[in-house]
Amino acid sequence: MVASGMGGIRTSGDLVARMEYAKHMRLNEAKEYVAKRLGVSVIDMADEVIMRELREEMGLGVVTAVPGCPRGIAAKMNIEKLLDIKINSCNKFREMLN
Amino acid sequence: MSFYTRLGDGKRVEMTKEEAWADMQAGTADAADMAEIPALSDDELDILYSIISADGRLVGVEPGHEVVLTYDIGQLDFTGDNGNSGNGVDMGRLEAALLHERALGADTFELAHSDYSIKPVKPVISMEMQTMEEIQDEIIAPYFYGAMPNMGLYYAPDGPYGNPADLMREFKIDESMASSEAASEHMARDIEFVGTKIMQAGADGFNFDTTASAGDADFVGVLKGVEALRAACPDAYINLGMAGESVMGIHGMMEYDGKIVAGMYPHQQCQLAAKAGADVFGAVVNTNTSKSLAWNLARSVTFVKECVKQCPIPVHVDMGMGVGGIPMAEVVPMDAVTRCNKAMVEIAKVDGV
């Protein structure tokens, strides 16, 4: 992670990973797509200082424990809307609702 | 003037520039010769040398060039024994997953059974499903289910099929091949069973770790299993990671998509992975413990660069103890890990690690 990683939910690595898997995007295409949806540059999307604030603002889940801040299914549902994708666990959650 | 570097067994040594260049040229030539692919150019070797000989203990990519990191063995890196290179810190799988996400910066993670193979998961699939449901409620990063296909478990004494090693020793070649084919089909059915069940529990996808460890029949079994899983779960994230740089021809004549898979290298393996329905391919190059980091890394980057060029899906190169140029040592030296990472990103242009 120190040498080359995006850091997952520290920045936007989880979001880029989703685009690689969900839409077969190569790395640069996935980063550009996510950066555009976040409204930041490709460099800023891997900046912990910028992304910590942005993730909390957008309800995408953050690395520190903030009471009331979406995590788990709630955060992933916000990620679905941000990236215009469907996430399997969110689908299962919706199926369980009456 | 010399600099500190490592051998493939992790031993720290000093090398001169001339020695490093000679090893890099030999390493890339070895890969090019084996796989009939282009060797690295002098410009690329120049970049590689600057990475290997850099002054700092750790090196890193430039800002903006970060890549996605995917994981295998799930929580076993914390809870496992040294057979899994684990730290032996017992904890629940929920805690381990959230620690990897929040403290270790994992871009993706996975749930794993402590007996980390497809066959042992079948009888405990219900438990794996309920754990997956529980953790998916809390985790944010993509969370896979991971297992090794490990087709060796389908052979006697662990499984129902004759062991090819025993049969071949008795010159029962036809029986050996038939046994491999049957085990391969059985494993493909088990992959479909385990994969579809875990997707029903809300998994983001499935990670196949060390595909083709039992040779060409193992590789074909996984490809057929991936095909079946893709058909049943069109939106599953499927990661297909290999066991070695070349598929062992234990059967010798196993085919997929009309091609004999024995002897395939990463740039060929990835095509079949994509054809079967995988989303990401994990290329593997094994480390030679007698050679230097310069030799091993030049060789690994050569294989992976061609794989990235030809692969229709993203490539996440496998990097760790004994793979991706990294020394074969239980506690891998960080100087080597960071150099290998940087080289794979900047020269091989991987989509992830």
Side-chain angles (χ1 to χ4, degrees), chain B residues 67-84:
Chain B
V67 301
V68 168
L69 300 189
T70 45
Y71 282 69
D72 61 18
I73 74 165
Q75 76 287 345
L76 294 171
D77 56 357
F78 282 170
T79 62
D81 59 27
N82 73 335
N84 274 310

Side-chain angles (χ1 to χ4, degrees), chain B residues 89-351:
Chain B
V89 178
D90 204 18
M91 65 177 73
R93 294 192 282 181
L94 171 63
E95 289 88 335
L98 297 184
L99 277 173
H100 278 81
E101 175 184 73
R102 295 176 195 175
L104 298 185
D107 296 304
T108 74
F109 200 57
E110 66 174 32
L111 179 66
H113 181 34
S114 55
D115 194 350
Y116 184 59
S117 302
I118 296 275
K119 184 163 160 283
V121 171
K122 275 170 52 186
V124 296
I125 190 64
S126 243
M127 174 158 164
E128 301 305 272
M129 286 172 73
Q130 70 86 25
T131 304
M132 176 61 76
E133 285 177 359
E134 183 185 12
I135 296 175
Q136 284 288 355
D137 278 349
E138 280 298 319
I139 201 164
I140 298 162
Y143 192 57
F144 293 74
Y145 192 83
M148 300 185 293
N150 202 357
M151 206 183 78
L153 291 179
Y154 290 79
Y155 295 136
D158 298 303
Y161 303 104
N163 194 311
D166 296 335
L167 291 166
M168 283 195 280
R169 203 178 297 128
E170 296 165 12
F171 297 100
K172 294 178 180 173
I173 307 300
D174 288 343
E175 290 90 329
S176 169
M177 291 169 84
S179 180
S180 294
E181 289 161 22
S184 179
E185 293 289 337
H186 192 152
M187 185 179 73
R189 289 196 301 274
D190 287 351
I191 286 171
E192 185 186 4
F193 173 77
V194 170
T196 51
K197 286 288 189 191
I198 210 71
M199 288 302 295
Q200 284 170 24
D204 285 286
F206 209 101
N207 175 39
F208 295 95
D209 188 2
T210 65
T211 299
S213 64
D216 48 348
D218 181 318
F219 190 33
V220 170
V222 171
L223 291 170
K224 288 186 176 174
V226 166
E227 243 185 61
L229 180 57
R230 174 59 71 211
C233 306
D235 298 326
Y237 300 172
I238 299 178
N239 198 59
L240 197 157
M242 299 298 291
E245 68 220 27
S246 177
V247 178
M248 285 187 292
I250 295 174
H251 178 287
M253 301 295 292
M254 292 292 291
E255 288 188 12
Y256 185 80
D257 193 34
K259 300 180 182 74
I260 289 182
V261 304
M264 279 194 172
Y265 285 97
H267 68 286
Q268 298 160 312
Q269 297 158 6
C270 63
Q271 316 273 358
L272 299 190
K275 178 89 188 197
D279 296 301
V280 169
F281 178 70
V284 164
V285 183
N286 302 111
T287 295
N288 184 321
T289 54
S290 306
K291 299 287 192 182
S292 67
L293 181 75
W295 189 93
N296 278 300
L297 189 51
R299 186 172 179 274
S300 298
V301 170
T302 306
F303 278 120
V304 176
K305 178 174 168 252
E306 189 62 20
C307 177
V308 171
K309 189 173 157 200
Q310 292 203 29
C311 190
I313 54 177
V315 176
H316 287 195
V317 58
D318 281 27
M319 303 202 71
M321 177 177 73
V323 289
I326 292 174
M328 181 71 194
E330 190 183 59
V331 184
V332 283
M334 294 308 298
D335 46 80
V337 171
T338 58
R339 280 160 174 76
C340 293
N341 261 271
K342 185 173 162 82
M344 285 294 180
V345 171
E346 294 188 355
I347 305 172
K349 310 283 187 209
V350 295
D351 301 281

Side-chain angles (χ1 to χ4, degrees), chain A residues 4 8 20 24 31 76 88, chain B residues 66 107 136 203 279 316 341:
Chain A
S4 63
E20 283 195 1
H24 287 182
K31 286 170 99 172
K76 284 185 284 196
N88 193 33
Chain B
E66 300 87 355
D107 296 304
Q136 284 288 355
D279 296 301
H316 287 195
N341 261 271

